[in-house]
Amino acid sequence: MAVYFDLRVQAPFPAASPSLISWHRHHSLLAVGYISSSDGGSVDIYTELGEHVPDAFVTRSSHPTVLSWHPTKRMLVAGWTVGEVVVLNEQDKEVYTLQTIHNTEITVLEWSAGYLVSADTNGTLAVWRLEQRGRIQASPLLTNSYHKQITHCLFKPLSPNEDLVQLAKAAVSGDEKALDMFNWTKSEKMTPMKTTTQQEFHFFLSAKDGSVYFVNEQLKNTPIATMNSPIKRMFFMEKKSVLIIITENLLLSQFFIGTDGNAEEISKVKLSGKMGQTADILWVDNSLLITATGENVIRFWDLEREDNYALSLDEQLGFEAGEALNCISYCSAKAILAAGTSKGRVAMWSKQSQKSVRSDGKDIWKLQTPTELEENILQIQWGSPRNLAINSFTSVLILSEQVMSAHLHQQVAAIQVAPTQLNVTYINTETTHNLRTDVYIKGVFVTKSIVVVWNGKTVTVYELTGPTLTNSGSFSCESPVLVVHEENIYTVETNRVQIWTLQGTVKQLLPFSETEGNPCMLDICGHFLAVATDTAHFKIFDLSRREAKAHSNCINLSQMVPGVGSIASLKCNSNGSKVSILANRSDGNLDSKMYFYDVELDTVTYFDFWNGEAEQEETSHNSDIDNKKKVLLDRVPVSHFWDETEPRLLVCEAMLALPNSTNSSPKHQMDQRGEIHRGKEDILVMSFFSTQEHGLLVQESFSRPAAFQSLLGLEIPHYFFTKKPGEEEKATESEVGTPRIPQMVAKKSLRDFVGLEECDKATREAMLNFSFYLTVGDMDEAFKSIKLIKSEAVWENMARMCVKTRRLDVAKVCLGNMGHARGAKALREAEQEPEVEARVAMLAVQLGMLEDAEKLYKNCQRYDLLNKLYQCWGQWQKAIETAESHDRIHLRSTYYNYAKHLEAIGEHSSSLLFYEKSDTHRFEVPRLFLDDPQALEEYINQKKDKGLWKWWAQYLESQSNLDTALKYYEMAQDYLSLVRVHCFLGNIPKAAEIANETGNGAASYHLARHYESQEEVKQAVHFYTRAQAFNNAIRLCKENNMDDQLMNLALLSSPEDMMEAARFYEEKGEQMDRAVMLYHKSGHFSKALELAFSTEQFAALQQIAEELDENSDPALLARCSDFFIEHNQFEKAVELLLAAKKYYDALQLCLEQNLIITEDMAEKMTVSKNSKELSEEARRELLEGIADCCMRQGNYHLATKKYTQAGNKLKAMRSLLKSGDTEKIVFFAGVSRQKEIYIMAANYLQSLDWRKDPEIMKNIISFYTKGRALDLLAGFYDACAQVEIDEYQSYEKALGALSEAYKCLSKAKMRSPEDQERKLSDMQSKITLVTRFIQARRADSQEAVKQCELLLEEPDLDSAIRIGDVYGLLVENYAQQNNFQQAYQYLEEMRSKMPTVNLTYYVPQSTMEVVHRALSIPFNRQSLSEHVRHNSVEDSEEVEELPEMDYGD
């Protein structure tokens, strides 16, 4: 909790009136401009405390008009009415005047990085540049004149791309800062930021006549708008590149600004507000416009969401009706909007987190209690988040935020509620005093008899005299901290602690060396004083004697704990054995560890709130302690206190912390910087036991209640807290005219002392020891500490505490000591519940803590038990709501129980409704109205419920009122009762009519029984049939020889009745076909077949056999199959044999009768591998038999399948080859992986046109290779070579194929080596001849002729080369040499050797014509056409173009 101190700024001369205020953006410096009609004007600079900065002022005979701070430097520029521009450099204590070109009042001073823009009422504009040494250049960089008053200047931020380019330009030009920012990775503190550079800047100007200009870095201006009134403010929405202009008459215009400065108007709207007043306008979060125009509201326009709303003052918080809001200022760091009012009040609205409230509208702003001042506030401005400057034009005040002081000691608490006011509470007597002081309070210390306050310069002592606190004296002492023990006051000075009397006399000095540092922190607990210094040293003093004596050596914490920078807080326990310390790390951030120094052992241990772990020498761990530590994650301790009498007990507050890194896990490196998340009110209060033996143990932890501000201290049996503003008790009149002072202190009982707050000292100590040993986990010692307590109330309170702690084991002992047998039994029975909360809730119920039980049941979602609790509690509405919402399975029982409750209390009319809802009204309501038949009849007639009508009819029948009973039976549609009554009355036709019309089975059965008793058999059979009581009907038919009806009834009845009727017919020896049919329909096939065979009923036999399947009797199936074979119905016989699992017989029948084996039939013949019906060998034999039969029938695919199932893959392959299914042959060969199958597949594929399908050729090669038949592969390559020669004359490819054939043949392992050698020799000879011919075709003409003539002499030439190709090559070459005679000679030789071959196949016709023409020999074309040409490529049919084959590796 914080308060604002109002610090008045002293004017430099009495008549000075403040006209301007301006805070520095980054430094706590306030500039104030003063004017005086007689003394001219001045500009002064003040600190945040309102103190004048020495030598930081400027005085002139004119008045200041504009103040402008440099964005980062401690440099102020002031403009004056005479056109003078004065620079006040507070850092260098330098004041100088610029050689200004202005000679009239300065209206604009605007900074942008290293540039300053100034303008005056004449329209003269100048741009000044800041030198690197920190001075502004004496003469302006650029000037321009607009000949009209300039009112505003707004710099346009550069876009990111422009910014980076200009930053690079500045870096190249030698700007070292720009270079560092451009290479930002070199420095952790430098990051890329938007900034205008030394090369380029753009800004907007507005003139008094409403003109708006866009100005570039050369001061070239572009008019972009002309408004109808002067400009009030200009803002730039950077993310949308929109310029916002607001005029004096509150007209808002938006312009889109392009990259070249061109403007396009987007919208224009008139804002609401009071005209003729000075409007204060703010631009917040780059989207929100806030205005104050002297009205009693502040108006908001959200330009991004296109929303608007207004905030007003609240009279309940102390504002007055009609109070106007003059000025506003927004602090973005704290999200607080401050406003000054016409009544001298400062109103503040805090912006709430959008996660907890609606994200838009005025709901996110919360108005706070105002700060009261004296004069009309006309100007207000935030400095740092802690300072707010206020100008009333008569004086300037600084509201400085200070943390409120509070202290608890010796059952006395003092809370600061105002800068000069304390709320002092004496807890023992429950009295409260309102203490007002003469000084601003910066600290307070209380004891049971005195209150000491100080402001850093003066110490004032107040003593309790009777019912009032009186000032007993004060003395000067500049000490930031102060503590009191008995009659002594302890303060700090440089290198020492001073001990004063209450009157201000120094009694003793406690010196510290320079190494130990200067004392800066004091704490007193019991008779011990703890002192901490600014060098992280601390020391304990014993104050129990006349003079203070050292209790411990001066300890250097940073030496004992590496990484500690300074001590943030220091507390000692009541016997001086332990010191707890909160520390700052060396990086300045608060450490997440709380350190504990043991004076006796001279050791330091710690507890880390970041991960819930402790470092201690001996620690007893148990699961309960571990569970408690799980909640202590990602936290930082912020305050801690020891109990004033119990040295083992400590309490502290821990606040959530947010790590700067992206890893939020508590297990990450502890050198990650964490900062306290002040905005989140999730604060834990934890108490610890700290001893040498057991170390540090978490005793209790809970979230700080929302109504409490902060922890004040611990005094058994209570924690003490300060209350939040607004949560204190409302002032009430305790006596007439005597207002009660609000209580600012709140207390909360320790968990183990709930209900024992007023116990005596012995009980308190016993309970404390019990709590300690319970925390340690030593139950024996825990019970020893309280076994002597005889008070039943103590045990009951402890049992109640067990509900809070959920310690059911302790609760059992407590209930035993209380003699609460019923509660112990209920708790034992509740142990069957799986949820701990449910078991604890039963304990709470037994102790009468019904609200706690209700919460526990809700937490564990045991709504069934919660429903039962509400019913026992009498909370019937809650019980019904719970059942309807969460426990619908017990909804009807809840309604029923509530109806019984209402009936018990006499509310019969209300109980009827809930009996109906529980669906029990059909018997409960008649019971309820049994003594009032008339009321019951009215209720029944009103409800029109069939169940009630039936009940009423039965009641009337019991009263012998049969006529009325018949009426209600008919209304209830109870036809059985109608028939029964009519039969009783002898009205049989009416009963028969009802039974026939309704078809009701029960009514028909009753009537049939009646007819049977009257020996009317036909009617009895009829109504038995309608009632579907066929066995009774069949019985009557058999007894009365009604054979025709018997058959029909048997077919409609059950199989048992059919069997009975069949036996009847069989015994009778007549109508045997009916007996067979009934046996058949009843499922007794064997009996039906036997009877059909014996009586030769073939038609029935045929029908029965069609329904036989594999589940039938095998003997029966075999017998039927023989019957079908005899009558030449072989397909049906095969099916029955298969059903009888006589596979061989079925197969033999198929072979003998040449029956086509279908796939379904083959599957039925196939026996599974693991079947016990056949051995594996017999199974394979059967499968092969099936396959052989399929082969003979031409069903090759099915044969392949069965051969495969039999494991005979060779036969399967042969079958598949016969099918000619190439795709399946290739697939089967691939999956079989057998040599013989590979060879068979390759041989088959070789029979296909493999030259047209390269894939077939690849498979042939692959299969021969996998089958290791290299000799066959060589033969295939040889065949390929011959095809290449014969079909395509491609000797080159033929040579490749022959080479591959030779390789394969050389690798083959043939049975006869001699045969292999002969084949290799022949292959080599072929390769040689082909090679020679290819060389001849490639040689020149003469060499080709020579080689061809030599080839013709080879004896085996035809085995490798076609002779026609050699002759053709000779003829062509001789023709090329013009040796036509020799060419003609070889042509004739070709004709003689190949008389049946068309010569044009080997020699082009054109060549032959040339030869004949040269020798003048006639050329006969017709003779050529008469020859049959072998494999001519010039055939009239179109030849398909084939893919090229590659025979190489």
Side-chain angles (χ1 to χ4, degrees), residues 1198-1326:
L1198 186 55
T1200 301
K1201 181 178 180 182
K1202 296 303 159 186
Y1203 279 132
T1204 304
Q1205 289 176 345
N1208 195 336
K1209 294 185 178 180
L1210 289 176
K1211 284 189 176 183
M1213 188 62 179
R1214 291 192 188 100
S1215 176
L1216 198 56
L1217 290 174
K1218 286 188 178 184
S1219 71
D1221 192 335
T1222 303
E1223 184 178 353
K1224 290 187 177 179
I1225 290 170
V1226 172
F1227 174 77
F1228 188 77
V1231 299
S1232 296
R1233 298 185 179 182
Q1234 289 187 9
K1235 177 180 177 181
E1236 296 81 359
I1237 293 177
Y1238 281 133
I1239 296 173
M1240 291 168 67
N1243 292 338
Y1244 165 79
L1245 293 175
Q1246 198 171 348
S1247 67
L1248 304 177
D1249 191 1
W1250 49 265
R1251 188 63 180 84
K1252 293 182 180 180
D1253 191 348
E1255 192 65 31
I1256 294 178
M1257 184 176 177
K1258 290 179 182 178
N1259 285 328
I1260 293 171
I1261 297 171
S1262 173
F1263 289 161
Y1264 276 138
T1265 303
K1266 293 178 179 178
R1268 300 179 183 177
L1270 297 179
D1271 52 342
L1272 297 178
L1273 181 58
F1276 173 68
Y1277 277 125
D1278 191 10
C1280 290
Q1282 195 63 43
V1283 170
E1284 295 291 344
I1285 293 171
D1286 292 342
E1287 299 288 343
Y1288 309 104
Q1289 296 85 41
S1290 178
Y1291 283 91
E1292 288 81 0
K1293 289 188 176 181
L1295 179 61
L1298 289 171
S1299 299
E1300 291 298 319
Y1302 183 81
K1303 290 179 184 178
C1304 294
L1305 200 57
S1306 62
K1307 295 178 182 178
K1309 296 180 180 180
M1310 299 178 64
R1311 295 180 180 179
S1312 173
E1314 294 81 6
D1315 190 22
Q1316 185 174 5
E1317 288 297 329
R1318 181 180 58 76
K1319 287 185 178 182
L1320 283 171
S1321 177
D1322 293 343
M1323 191 65 67
Q1324 185 63 49
S1325 175
K1326 283 184 180 183

Side-chain angles (χ1 to χ4, degrees), residues 498-513:
Q498 284 187 326
I499 304 177
W500 307 71
T501 64
L502 298 180
Q503 291 73 31
T505 304
V506 177
K507 290 177 56 179
Q508 185 182 357
L509 299 176
L510 305 177
F512 286 77
S513 66

Side-chain angles (χ1 to χ4, degrees), residues 743-809:
Q743 175 67 260
M744 295 299 298
V745 180
K747 59 185 178 180
K748 175 180 171 61
S749 299
L750 274 73
R751 180 188 63 191
D752 299 343
F753 286 88
V754 173
L756 298 176
E757 294 84 354
E758 305 300 328
C759 62
D760 55 19
K761 184 178 180 181
T763 303
R764 186 181 305 170
E765 291 178 356
M767 287 301 301
L768 187 63
N769 290 328
F770 172 79
S771 178
F772 171 72
Y773 289 117
L774 200 63
T775 305
V776 171
D778 191 343
M779 297 301 297
D780 294 336
E781 290 295 329
F783 288 124
K784 284 181 183 178
S785 61
I786 59 171
K787 67 180 181 179
L788 298 179
I789 300 178
K790 301 298 183 182
S791 171
E792 184 176 327
V794 172
W795 289 107
E796 183 177 354
N797 287 326
M798 286 180 60
R800 290 175 176 273
M801 179 266 293
C802 291
V803 174
K804 309 294 184 183
T805 61
R806 303 185 182 183
R807 292 295 302 269
L808 296 177
D809 52 345

Side-chain angles (χ1 to χ4, degrees), residues 537-817:
H537 288 70
F538 63 92
K539 192 174 183 179
I540 313 299
F541 293 91
D542 186 355
L543 308 182
S544 59
R545 304 176 185 177
R546 187 171 178 271
E547 292 186 350
K549 299 293 182 181
H551 183 64
S552 70
N553 297 325
C554 194
I555 309 302
N556 185 355
L557 183 63
S558 59
Q559 184 177 354
M560 300 186 74
V561 182
V564 169
S566 61
I567 296 176
S569 177
L570 180 83
K571 303 287 182 180
C572 67
N573 65 352
S574 60
N575 63 5
S577 61
K578 295 274 187 179
V579 177
S580 58
I581 303 168
L582 303 184
N584 294 315
R585 298 196 296 267
S586 55
D587 59 4
N589 291 297
L590 192 61
D591 199 339
S592 63
K593 299 183 181 71
M594 182 163 61
Y595 297 95
F596 293 87
Y597 174 72
D598 191 300
V599 176
E600 183 178 349
L601 300 178
D602 192 26
T603 57
V604 173
T605 58
Y606 67 81
F607 184 88
D608 194 344
F609 289 84
W610 196 255
N611 53 27
E613 295 179 355
E615 183 214 34
Q616 46 203 29
E617 296 176 359
E618 295 181 5
T619 307
S620 299
H621 292 288
N622 57 44
S623 59
D624 186 56
I625 294 175
D626 292 338
N627 290 333
K628 290 176 181 178
K629 289 181 180 179
K630 288 180 182 178
V631 301
L632 309 179
L633 299 179
D634 296 337
R635 296 186 178 274
V636 176
V638 293
S639 64
H640 56 134
F641 302 93
W642 292 89
D643 186 83
E644 291 188 6
T645 58
E646 174 53 53
R648 298 173 296 180
L649 193 58
L650 167 76
V651 65
C652 71
E653 282 183 308
M655 183 179 292
L656 277 175
L658 289 180
N660 287 342
S661 68
T662 58
N663 182 12
S664 62
S665 171
K667 301 298 183 186
H668 71 287
Q669 299 286 337
M670 278 311 297
D671 58 359
Q672 293 284 344
R673 298 178 62 190
E675 57 185 39
I676 297 175
H677 184 32
R678 297 289 180 186
K680 193 167 183 177
E681 293 294 334
D682 189 2
I683 299 176
L684 279 184
V685 178
M686 285 155 286
S687 59
F688 299 87
F689 283 111
S690 178
T691 62
Q692 288 184 4
E693 181 182 359
H694 301 285
L696 189 69
L697 302 172
V698 179
Q699 190 264 343
E700 180 184 7
S701 65
F702 57 91
S703 295
R704 189 179 68 192
F708 296 168
Q709 180 73 32
S710 62
L711 182 65
L712 193 57
L714 167 68
E715 291 188 11
I716 296 175
H718 294 107
Y719 303 109
F720 291 93
F721 298 88
T722 59
K723 293 182 180 179
K724 285 184 177 179
E727 298 293 340
E728 64 270 11
E729 299 171 0
K730 302 298 181 182
T732 58
E733 296 287 335
S734 58
E735 296 179 6
V736 178
T738 307
R740 184 181 174 186
I741 301 171
Q743 175 67 260
M744 295 299 298
V745 180
K747 59 185 178 180
K748 175 180 171 61
S749 299
L750 274 73
R751 180 188 63 191
D752 299 343
F753 286 88
V754 173
L756 298 176
E757 294 84 354
E758 305 300 328
C759 62
D760 55 19
K761 184 178 180 181
T763 303
R764 186 181 305 170
E765 291 178 356
M767 287 301 301
L768 187 63
N769 290 328
F770 172 79
S771 178
F772 171 72
Y773 289 117
L774 200 63
T775 305
V776 171
D778 191 343
M779 297 301 297
D780 294 336
E781 290 295 329
F783 288 124
K784 284 181 183 178
S785 61
I786 59 171
K787 67 180 181 179
L788 298 179
I789 300 178
K790 301 298 183 182
S791 171
E792 184 176 327
V794 172
W795 289 107
E796 183 177 354
N797 287 326
M798 286 180 60
R800 290 175 176 273
M801 179 266 293
C802 291
V803 174
K804 309 294 184 183
T805 61
R806 303 185 182 183
R807 292 295 302 269
L808 296 177
D809 52 345
V810 179
K812 292 178 182 178
V813 178
C814 295
L815 291 174
N817 283 279

Side-chain angles (χ1 to χ4, degrees), residues 24 43 48 266 421 433 490 722 889 1439:
H24 195 288
V43 176
E48 62 180 341
I266 299 175
Q421 184 177 349
H433 298 268
Y490 299 80
T722 59
I889 195 171
V1439 178

Side-chain angles (χ1 to χ4, degrees), residues 8 74 106 166 501 593 729 742 782 873 976 1170 1225 1404:
R8 189 173 297 274
R74 301 160 71 96
I106 301 297
Q166 299 308 320
T501 64
K593 299 183 181 71
E729 299 171 0
W873 193 358
L976 170 61
N1170 300 325
I1225 290 170

Side-chain angles (χ1 to χ4, degrees), residues 880-926:
I880 292 172
E881 291 173 4
T882 302
E884 291 175 343
S885 303
H886 305 287
D887 188 31
R888 297 193 65 84
I889 195 171
H890 295 116
L891 180 59
R892 288 181 56 189
S893 63
T894 304
Y895 286 149
Y896 180 76
N897 292 335
Y898 186 42
K900 295 289 284 184
H901 168 73
L902 293 173
E903 181 185 352
I905 62 176
E907 296 185 10
H908 291 178
S909 58
S910 300
S911 66
L912 293 178
L913 174 63
F914 287 96
Y915 277 134
E916 291 170 4
K917 286 186 175 183
S918 65
D919 199 26
T920 58
H921 61 289
R922 292 176 184 86
F923 52 87
E924 288 293 344
V925 173

